[in-house]
Amino acid sequence: MMDALEQRLAAAPVVPLIGENDPARAVKTTQALADGGLSVIEVVMRSPGAQAGMEAILDQTEGLIVGAGTVLTLDQAKSVVASGAQFIVSPGLVDEIARYCIDEGIPFFPGTMTAGEVQRAYALGLRKVKFFPASLAGGVPMLKAFSSVFGEMRFMPTGGVSAANLPDFLSVPSVIACGGSWLTPANAIDAGDYAQVTALAREAVDIARKARG
Ligand code: 3PG
């Protein structure tokens, strides 16, 4: 049976990354993405204000699934979960974060780019991983090779995904969703052009519908 996150991703398999330091801008960006049809949001923990931004999003929006990305340590994982993160994404695979998330029932997408990493994630009990950095780690051919041996694994390619290659990544059946920052361009947000963010989200939703039928 699909969980809530899987159901959302089945409907729109695209996860935009929010890299804002300013919580008010993080909320506006999220609203613009939601207006365009994307409801699973990853807030990356790369700036001092990022976690406050995630909290503001959780506080001021409704009906979205909001997770924390670029989570590097177990303490950070615990902290973002205490702030309300509904899923966790990491650039790599740290076993103690995986075990914590499994125990807490929090979906966890660790970055993987080798068969050994995917196998370690599998052995830990995970069935969903990030594939990162997707374009440099072998792209679609690598995903197909992984899928032929890891039949139960689902992948979230992130890193170098754009509207141009989104159809190719989504054509791989084991791809649960694609993640990326192309939906939240800093120049548009700096200019207050949230309409552009909504347009990019809509475009991604349209591409996904066509790719997935
Ligand atoms: C990540 O955190 O997954 C990547 O930095 C996103 O890569 P992108 O900016 O190429 O989408």
PDB file of all heavy atoms in Angstrom, residues 65-94:
ATOM      1  N   ILE A  65       3.309  18.393   1.842  1.00  0.00           N
ATOM      2  CA  ILE A  65       4.236  17.510   2.558  1.00  0.00           C
ATOM      3  C   ILE A  65       5.601  18.175   2.469  1.00  0.00           C
ATOM      4  O   ILE A  65       6.112  18.420   1.367  1.00  0.00           O
ATOM      5  CB  ILE A  65       4.236  16.093   1.955  1.00  0.00           C
ATOM      6  CG1 ILE A  65       2.856  15.445   2.168  1.00  0.00           C
ATOM      7  CG2 ILE A  65       5.335  15.245   2.599  1.00  0.00           C
ATOM      8  CD1 ILE A  65       2.728  14.013   1.673  1.00  0.00           C
ATOM      9  N   VAL A  66       6.157  18.505   3.625  1.00  0.00           N
ATOM     10  CA  VAL A  66       7.362  19.327   3.674  1.00  0.00           C
ATOM     11  C   VAL A  66       8.484  18.553   4.366  1.00  0.00           C
ATOM     12  O   VAL A  66       8.320  18.083   5.499  1.00  0.00           O
ATOM     13  CB  VAL A  66       7.090  20.651   4.432  1.00  0.00           C
ATOM     14  CG1 VAL A  66       8.332  21.539   4.437  1.00  0.00           C
ATOM     15  CG2 VAL A  66       5.903  21.382   3.811  1.00  0.00           C
ATOM     16  N   GLY A  67       9.596  18.413   3.679  1.00  0.00           N
ATOM     17  CA  GLY A  67      10.724  17.686   4.242  1.00  0.00           C
ATOM     18  C   GLY A  67      11.974  18.544   4.305  1.00  0.00           C
ATOM     19  O   GLY A  67      12.006  19.673   3.800  1.00  0.00           O
ATOM     20  N   ALA A  68      12.995  17.981   4.935  1.00  0.00           N
ATOM     21  CA  ALA A  68      14.278  18.676   5.073  1.00  0.00           C
ATOM     22  C   ALA A  68      15.325  17.950   4.229  1.00  0.00           C
ATOM     23  O   ALA A  68      15.428  16.723   4.281  1.00  0.00           O
ATOM     24  CB  ALA A  68      14.714  18.686   6.528  1.00  0.00           C
ATOM     25  N   GLY A  69      16.079  18.722   3.459  1.00  0.00           N
ATOM     26  CA  GLY A  69      17.147  18.160   2.642  1.00  0.00           C
ATOM     27  C   GLY A  69      18.511  18.612   3.135  1.00  0.00           C
ATOM     28  O   GLY A  69      18.630  19.477   4.004  1.00  0.00           O
ATOM     29  N   THR A  70      19.549  18.017   2.563  1.00  0.00           N
ATOM     30  CA  THR A  70      20.929  18.290   2.953  1.00  0.00           C
ATOM     31  C   THR A  70      21.116  18.080   4.460  1.00  0.00           C
ATOM     32  O   THR A  70      21.804  18.848   5.136  1.00  0.00           O
ATOM     33  CB  THR A  70      21.393  19.704   2.507  1.00  0.00           C
ATOM     34  OG1 THR A  70      20.856  20.011   1.220  1.00  0.00           O
ATOM     35  CG2 THR A  70      22.912  19.782   2.400  1.00  0.00           C
ATOM     36  N   VAL A  71      20.480  17.044   4.974  1.00  0.00           N
ATOM     37  CA  VAL A  71      20.632  16.691   6.389  1.00  0.00           C
ATOM     38  C   VAL A  71      21.874  15.810   6.501  1.00  0.00           C
ATOM     39  O   VAL A  71      21.956  14.744   5.891  1.00  0.00           O
ATOM     40  CB  VAL A  71      19.363  15.969   6.898  1.00  0.00           C
ATOM     41  CG1 VAL A  71      19.578  15.405   8.295  1.00  0.00           C
ATOM     42  CG2 VAL A  71      18.179  16.939   6.878  1.00  0.00           C
ATOM     43  N   LEU A  72      22.848  16.272   7.276  1.00  0.00           N
ATOM     44  CA  LEU A  72      24.167  15.629   7.267  1.00  0.00           C
ATOM     45  C   LEU A  72      24.459  14.757   8.482  1.00  0.00           C
ATOM     46  O   LEU A  72      25.300  13.866   8.407  1.00  0.00           O
ATOM     47  CB  LEU A  72      25.257  16.706   7.158  1.00  0.00           C
ATOM     48  CG  LEU A  72      25.179  17.627   5.920  1.00  0.00           C
ATOM     49  CD1 LEU A  72      26.347  18.622   5.935  1.00  0.00           C
ATOM     50  CD2 LEU A  72      25.190  16.836   4.626  1.00  0.00           C
ATOM     51  N   THR A  73      23.805  15.044   9.604  1.00  0.00           N
ATOM     52  CA  THR A  73      24.134  14.297  10.834  1.00  0.00           C
ATOM     53  C   THR A  73      22.860  13.798  11.520  1.00  0.00           C
ATOM     54  O   THR A  73      21.757  14.309  11.258  1.00  0.00           O
ATOM     55  CB  THR A  73      24.881  15.194  11.848  1.00  0.00           C
ATOM     56  OG1 THR A  73      23.983  16.238  12.282  1.00  0.00           O
ATOM     57  CG2 THR A  73      26.127  15.817  11.247  1.00  0.00           C
ATOM     58  N   LEU A  74      23.044  12.845  12.432  1.00  0.00           N
ATOM     59  CA  LEU A  74      21.901  12.332  13.191  1.00  0.00           C
ATOM     60  C   LEU A  74      21.273  13.439  14.033  1.00  0.00           C
ATOM     61  O   LEU A  74      20.045  13.560  14.096  1.00  0.00           O
ATOM     62  CB  LEU A  74      22.358  11.165  14.078  1.00  0.00           C
ATOM     63  CG  LEU A  74      21.283  10.552  14.981  1.00  0.00           C
ATOM     64  CD1 LEU A  74      20.118  10.004  14.175  1.00  0.00           C
ATOM     65  CD2 LEU A  74      21.895   9.454  15.857  1.00  0.00           C
ATOM     66  N   ASP A  75      22.115  14.268  14.668  1.00  0.00           N
ATOM     67  CA  ASP A  75      21.558  15.365  15.484  1.00  0.00           C
ATOM     68  C   ASP A  75      20.701  16.291  14.640  1.00  0.00           C
ATOM     69  O   ASP A  75      19.640  16.751  15.071  1.00  0.00           O
ATOM     70  CB  ASP A  75      22.697  16.176  16.125  1.00  0.00           C
ATOM     71  CG  ASP A  75      23.288  15.449  17.323  1.00  0.00           C
ATOM     72  OD1 ASP A  75      22.680  14.464  17.768  1.00  0.00           O
ATOM     73  OD2 ASP A  75      24.371  15.863  17.782  1.00  0.00           O
ATOM     74  N   GLN A  76      21.184  16.576  13.432  1.00  0.00           N
ATOM     75  CA  GLN A  76      20.420  17.464  12.542  1.00  0.00           C
ATOM     76  C   GLN A  76      19.099  16.788  12.146  1.00  0.00           C
ATOM     77  O   GLN A  76      18.051  17.445  12.073  1.00  0.00           O
ATOM     78  CB  GLN A  76      21.265  17.770  11.302  1.00  0.00           C
ATOM     79  CG  GLN A  76      20.819  18.999  10.557  1.00  0.00           C
ATOM     80  CD  GLN A  76      21.689  19.252   9.329  1.00  0.00           C
ATOM     81  OE1 GLN A  76      22.512  18.425   8.938  1.00  0.00           O
ATOM     82  NE2 GLN A  76      21.490  20.402   8.705  1.00  0.00           N
ATOM     83  N   ALA A  77      19.161  15.481  11.897  1.00  0.00           N
ATOM     84  CA  ALA A  77      17.933  14.751  11.545  1.00  0.00           C
ATOM     85  C   ALA A  77      16.921  14.869  12.686  1.00  0.00           C
ATOM     86  O   ALA A  77      15.740  15.158  12.465  1.00  0.00           O
ATOM     87  CB  ALA A  77      18.255  13.290  11.250  1.00  0.00           C
ATOM     88  N   LYS A  78      17.395  14.660  13.918  1.00  0.00           N
ATOM     89  CA  LYS A  78      16.488  14.745  15.068  1.00  0.00           C
ATOM     90  C   LYS A  78      15.906  16.155  15.196  1.00  0.00           C
ATOM     91  O   LYS A  78      14.728  16.335  15.499  1.00  0.00           O
ATOM     92  CB  LYS A  78      17.232  14.380  16.352  1.00  0.00           C
ATOM     93  CG  LYS A  78      17.561  12.896  16.430  1.00  0.00           C
ATOM     94  CD  LYS A  78      18.298  12.572  17.721  1.00  0.00           C
ATOM     95  CE  LYS A  78      18.564  11.077  17.820  1.00  0.00           C
ATOM     96  NZ  LYS A  78      19.461  10.735  18.931  1.00  0.00           N
ATOM     97  N   SER A  79      16.760  17.137  14.935  1.00  0.00           N
ATOM     98  CA  SER A  79      16.328  18.529  15.070  1.00  0.00           C
ATOM     99  C   SER A  79      15.260  18.896  14.022  1.00  0.00           C
ATOM    100  O   SER A  79      14.248  19.517  14.346  1.00  0.00           O
ATOM    101  CB  SER A  79      17.561  19.434  14.946  1.00  0.00           C
ATOM    102  OG  SER A  79      17.185  20.770  14.956  1.00  0.00           O
ATOM    103  N   VAL A  80      15.469  18.471  12.774  1.00  0.00           N
ATOM    104  CA  VAL A  80      14.466  18.833  11.749  1.00  0.00           C
ATOM    105  C   VAL A  80      13.165  18.062  11.963  1.00  0.00           C
ATOM    106  O   VAL A  80      12.078  18.585  11.691  1.00  0.00           O
ATOM    107  CB  VAL A  80      14.993  18.671  10.291  1.00  0.00           C
ATOM    108  CG1 VAL A  80      16.104  19.658  10.013  1.00  0.00           C
ATOM    109  CG2 VAL A  80      15.394  17.238   9.965  1.00  0.00           C
ATOM    110  N   VAL A  81      13.274  16.839  12.476  1.00  0.00           N
ATOM    111  CA  VAL A  81      12.042  16.081  12.773  1.00  0.00           C
ATOM    112  C   VAL A  81      11.281  16.779  13.915  1.00  0.00           C
ATOM    113  O   VAL A  81      10.063  16.921  13.868  1.00  0.00           O
ATOM    114  CB  VAL A  81      12.367  14.608  13.102  1.00  0.00           C
ATOM    115  CG1 VAL A  81      11.150  13.888  13.693  1.00  0.00           C
ATOM    116  CG2 VAL A  81      12.830  13.883  11.837  1.00  0.00           C
ATOM    117  N   ALA A  82      12.037  17.273  14.907  1.00  0.00           N
ATOM    118  CA  ALA A  82      11.384  18.021  15.998  1.00  0.00           C
ATOM    119  C   ALA A  82      10.704  19.281  15.466  1.00  0.00           C
ATOM    120  O   ALA A  82       9.709  19.748  16.012  1.00  0.00           O
ATOM    121  CB  ALA A  82      12.410  18.377  17.069  1.00  0.00           C
ATOM    122  N   SER A  83      11.246  19.834  14.380  1.00  0.00           N
ATOM    123  CA  SER A  83      10.642  21.022  13.757  1.00  0.00           C
ATOM    124  C   SER A  83       9.480  20.663  12.839  1.00  0.00           C
ATOM    125  O   SER A  83       8.854  21.554  12.269  1.00  0.00           O
ATOM    126  CB  SER A  83      11.686  21.773  12.923  1.00  0.00           C
ATOM    127  OG  SER A  83      12.599  22.454  13.733  1.00  0.00           O
ATOM    128  N   GLY A  84       9.240  19.375  12.637  1.00  0.00           N
ATOM    129  CA  GLY A  84       8.073  18.984  11.832  1.00  0.00           C
ATOM    130  C   GLY A  84       8.377  18.385  10.473  1.00  0.00           C
ATOM    131  O   GLY A  84       7.443  18.096   9.707  1.00  0.00           O
ATOM    132  N   ALA A  85       9.639  18.195  10.145  1.00  0.00           N
ATOM    133  CA  ALA A  85       9.978  17.637   8.811  1.00  0.00           C
ATOM    134  C   ALA A  85       9.257  16.305   8.608  1.00  0.00           C
ATOM    135  O   ALA A  85       9.275  15.443   9.486  1.00  0.00           O
ATOM    136  CB  ALA A  85      11.487  17.429   8.700  1.00  0.00           C
ATOM    137  N   GLN A  86       8.635  16.155   7.441  1.00  0.00           N
ATOM    138  CA  GLN A  86       7.853  14.940   7.174  1.00  0.00           C
ATOM    139  C   GLN A  86       8.634  13.910   6.357  1.00  0.00           C
ATOM    140  O   GLN A  86       8.171  12.810   6.154  1.00  0.00           O
ATOM    141  CB  GLN A  86       6.556  15.329   6.474  1.00  0.00           C
ATOM    142  CG  GLN A  86       5.619  16.071   7.428  1.00  0.00           C
ATOM    143  CD  GLN A  86       4.592  16.898   6.697  1.00  0.00           C
ATOM    144  OE1 GLN A  86       4.911  17.861   6.010  1.00  0.00           O
ATOM    145  NE2 GLN A  86       3.354  16.523   6.830  1.00  0.00           N
ATOM    146  N   PHE A  87       9.777  14.307   5.870  1.00  0.00           N
ATOM    147  CA  PHE A  87      10.712  13.355   5.269  1.00  0.00           C
ATOM    148  C   PHE A  87      12.092  13.990   5.320  1.00  0.00           C
ATOM    149  O   PHE A  87      12.225  15.207   5.553  1.00  0.00           O
ATOM    150  CB  PHE A  87      10.313  12.957   3.822  1.00  0.00           C
ATOM    151  CG  PHE A  87      10.315  14.084   2.826  1.00  0.00           C
ATOM    152  CD1 PHE A  87      11.428  14.338   2.032  1.00  0.00           C
ATOM    153  CD2 PHE A  87       9.191  14.888   2.665  1.00  0.00           C
ATOM    154  CE1 PHE A  87      11.426  15.374   1.102  1.00  0.00           C
ATOM    155  CE2 PHE A  87       9.186  15.930   1.741  1.00  0.00           C
ATOM    156  CZ  PHE A  87      10.297  16.167   0.956  1.00  0.00           C
ATOM    157  N   ILE A  88      13.115  13.149   5.121  1.00  0.00           N
ATOM    158  CA  ILE A  88      14.492  13.634   5.207  1.00  0.00           C
ATOM    159  C   ILE A  88      15.250  13.182   3.969  1.00  0.00           C
ATOM    160  O   ILE A  88      15.082  12.050   3.491  1.00  0.00           O
ATOM    161  CB  ILE A  88      15.175  13.097   6.490  1.00  0.00           C
ATOM    162  CG1 ILE A  88      14.565  13.813   7.701  1.00  0.00           C
ATOM    163  CG2 ILE A  88      16.679  13.293   6.454  1.00  0.00           C
ATOM    164  CD1 ILE A  88      15.195  13.451   9.011  1.00  0.00           C
ATOM    165  N   VAL A  89      16.060  14.089   3.438  1.00  0.00           N
ATOM    166  CA  VAL A  89      16.915  13.788   2.292  1.00  0.00           C
ATOM    167  C   VAL A  89      18.349  14.124   2.680  1.00  0.00           C
ATOM    168  O   VAL A  89      18.599  15.128   3.354  1.00  0.00           O
ATOM    169  CB  VAL A  89      16.498  14.625   1.052  1.00  0.00           C
ATOM    170  CG1 VAL A  89      17.326  14.232  -0.165  1.00  0.00           C
ATOM    171  CG2 VAL A  89      15.006  14.471   0.748  1.00  0.00           C
ATOM    172  N   SER A  90      19.282  13.256   2.296  1.00  0.00           N
ATOM    173  CA  SER A  90      20.705  13.509   2.558  1.00  0.00           C
ATOM    174  C   SER A  90      21.469  13.370   1.255  1.00  0.00           C
ATOM    175  O   SER A  90      21.063  12.606   0.380  1.00  0.00           O
ATOM    176  CB  SER A  90      21.273  12.473   3.535  1.00  0.00           C
ATOM    177  OG  SER A  90      20.759  12.628   4.823  1.00  0.00           O
ATOM    178  N   PRO A  91      22.606  14.031   1.146  1.00  0.00           N
ATOM    179  CA  PRO A  91      23.419  13.845  -0.069  1.00  0.00           C
ATOM    180  C   PRO A  91      24.053  12.459  -0.133  1.00  0.00           C
ATOM    181  O   PRO A  91      24.374  11.961  -1.213  1.00  0.00           O
ATOM    182  CB  PRO A  91      24.490  14.932   0.012  1.00  0.00           C
ATOM    183  CG  PRO A  91      24.309  15.622   1.315  1.00  0.00           C
ATOM    184  CD  PRO A  91      23.119  15.069   2.025  1.00  0.00           C
ATOM    185  N   GLY A  92      24.287  11.833   1.037  1.00  0.00           N
ATOM    186  CA  GLY A  92      24.906  10.502   1.074  1.00  0.00           C
ATOM    187  C   GLY A  92      24.178   9.619   2.077  1.00  0.00           C
ATOM    188  O   GLY A  92      23.158  10.015   2.650  1.00  0.00           O
ATOM    189  N   LEU A  93      24.735   8.445   2.287  1.00  0.00           N
ATOM    190  CA  LEU A  93      24.084   7.455   3.164  1.00  0.00           C
ATOM    191  C   LEU A  93      24.837   7.341   4.482  1.00  0.00           C
ATOM    192  O   LEU A  93      25.997   6.903   4.507  1.00  0.00           O
ATOM    193  CB  LEU A  93      24.047   6.095   2.451  1.00  0.00           C
ATOM    194  CG  LEU A  93      23.550   4.898   3.269  1.00  0.00           C
ATOM    195  CD1 LEU A  93      22.156   5.137   3.829  1.00  0.00           C
ATOM    196  CD2 LEU A  93      23.555   3.649   2.394  1.00  0.00           C
ATOM    197  N   VAL A  94      24.183   7.778   5.557  1.00  0.00           N
ATOM    198  CA  VAL A  94      24.735   7.619   6.905  1.00  0.00           C
ATOM    199  C   VAL A  94      23.830   6.632   7.639  1.00  0.00           C
ATOM    200  O   VAL A  94      22.631   6.886   7.816  1.00  0.00           O
ATOM    201  CB  VAL A  94      24.791   8.990   7.631  1.00  0.00           C
ATOM    202  CG1 VAL A  94      25.161   8.807   9.100  1.00  0.00           C
ATOM    203  CG2 VAL A  94      25.791   9.910   6.951  1.00  0.00           C
TER     204      VAL A  94
END
